[in-house]
Amino acid sequence: MVVNNVTLEAVAVAKDQYPIESYPEIAFVGRSNVGKSSLINAMVYRKAIARTSSTPGKTRTINFYNVEDKLYFVDLPGYGYAKTSKSESAKWGKMIEGYLHKRETLKRVVLLLDIRHEPSDNDRIMYEWLRHYRKEIIIAATKADKLGKQQVQKQIAVIKKALDLPDNAIIPFSGVTKNGRDELWGVIEDSLSY
Ligand code: GTP
Ligand code: MG
């Protein structure tokens, strides 16, 4: 997709702050610091429309990016950050689940996993939750620039095995080199056409 126009249309902590259901939505979920906001920036060819940080817990609201008046990219807070207080984690958990659960216009959920690591317990819980509720899932393995080619393949196999995924289910991605961007756009655009 050619992306010229992208705006942060809504910043929400509760349902009444979401945009009305209109364009198809692609949501990005994953543990804190995995690279959700960075991936959104790469996808819309912008450096910093979505705020990023080396400190986990940067995104604390549900942010709706209007892309070309065609779709929304929905940036969610991360889960599984150890230093977050229990009450804070629970609040974010509810917020994320509240969004994912009943949003009629939600087309795909992109689950981001750090390519260097085996999926965490929280990653597995999120993956199983998404499957249970019959969400259409895309898996992106982020920070692929941190590994060599062979290691990328090795880690893809590790993640595939851990979550029992089919072949070619994982898209290696890098917000640094932008590797994976075209492939991810391809999958997203396909999802919009039916
Ligand atoms: P929360 O908002 O806290 O949930 O985090 P997030 O998932 O949005 O992560 P964010 O995009 O803020 O990135 C976290 C850190 O990882 C930042 O320092 C990014 O620069 C870095 N990062 C993200 N993606 C990549 C990548 O593909 N490669 C490398 N090398 N670093 C990355
Ligand atoms: Mg973020």
Side-chain angles (χ1 to χ4, degrees):
M1 178 161 323
V2 179
V3 182
N4 292 312
N5 294 298
V6 46
T7 55
L8 175 56
E9 192 173 301
V11 173
V13 293
K15 281 206 166 91
D16 59 358
Q17 296 163 330
Y18 299 170
I20 53 163
E21 289 175 324
S22 58
Y23 310 125
E25 294 180 0
I26 311 293
F28 298 87
V29 302
R31 67 194 299 186
S32 285
N33 207 244
V34 71
K36 298 174 293 298
S37 301
S38 301
L39 180 142
I40 289 176
N41 286 329
M43 291 298 283
V44 299
Y45 304 85
R46 297 277 289 263
K47 280 216 167 80
I49 190 164
R51 303 282 302 279
T52 66
S53 169
S54 55
T55 310
K58 178 68 178 174
T59 309
R60 292 164 182 246
T61 49
I62 302 180
N63 299 336
F64 293 80
Y65 294 91
N66 177 328
V67 182
E68 294 289 328
D69 284 332
K70 286 200 179 107
L71 62 137
Y72 287 115
F73 277 166
V74 184
D75 192 8
L76 292 157
Y79 53 74
Y81 173 46
K83 279 190 185 158
T84 311
S85 72
K86 271 202 175 134
S87 62
E88 192 91 330
S89 304
K91 196 177 78 189
W92 290 351
K94 280 212 177 94
M95 223 162 84
I96 297 166
E97 194 176 321
Y99 166 77
L100 292 172
H101 201 24
K102 291 201 172 132
R103 190 75 172 161
E104 297 285 339
T105 45
L106 178 59
K107 268 271 177 188
R108 289 287 185 280
V109 180
V110 183
L111 173 61
L112 283 74
L113 301 169
D114 189 318
I115 196 160
R116 295 167 298 173
H117 308 301
E118 176 131 3
S120 68
D121 289 347
N122 283 317
D123 291 331
R124 288 167 192 273
I125 290 167
M126 177 53 82
Y127 179 67
E128 288 308 326
W129 188 94
L130 293 169
R131 278 175 53 101
H132 178 79
Y133 286 104
R134 304 270 186 272
K135 304 296 173 188
E136 299 279 357
I137 307 164
I138 300 168
I139 310 258
T142 62
K143 310 198 182 183
D145 57 279
K146 290 188 182 257
L147 298 180
K149 245 188 187 166
Q150 281 186 350
Q151 277 178 305
V152 165
Q153 287 317 312
K154 184 172 157 262
Q155 285 305 110
I156 291 294
V158 167
I159 295 169
K160 182 181 163 220
K161 188 167 176 223
L163 297 181
D164 194 18
L165 299 170
D167 285 343
N168 302 319
I170 304 167
I171 301 176
F173 194 94
S174 168
V176 175
T177 65
K178 322 297 186 216
N179 270 346
R181 174 166 62 190
D182 292 346
E183 190 181 351
L184 184 55
W185 258 122
V187 176
I188 290 171
E189 290 198 271
D190 283 349
S191 80
L192 302 177
S193 55
Y194 56 86

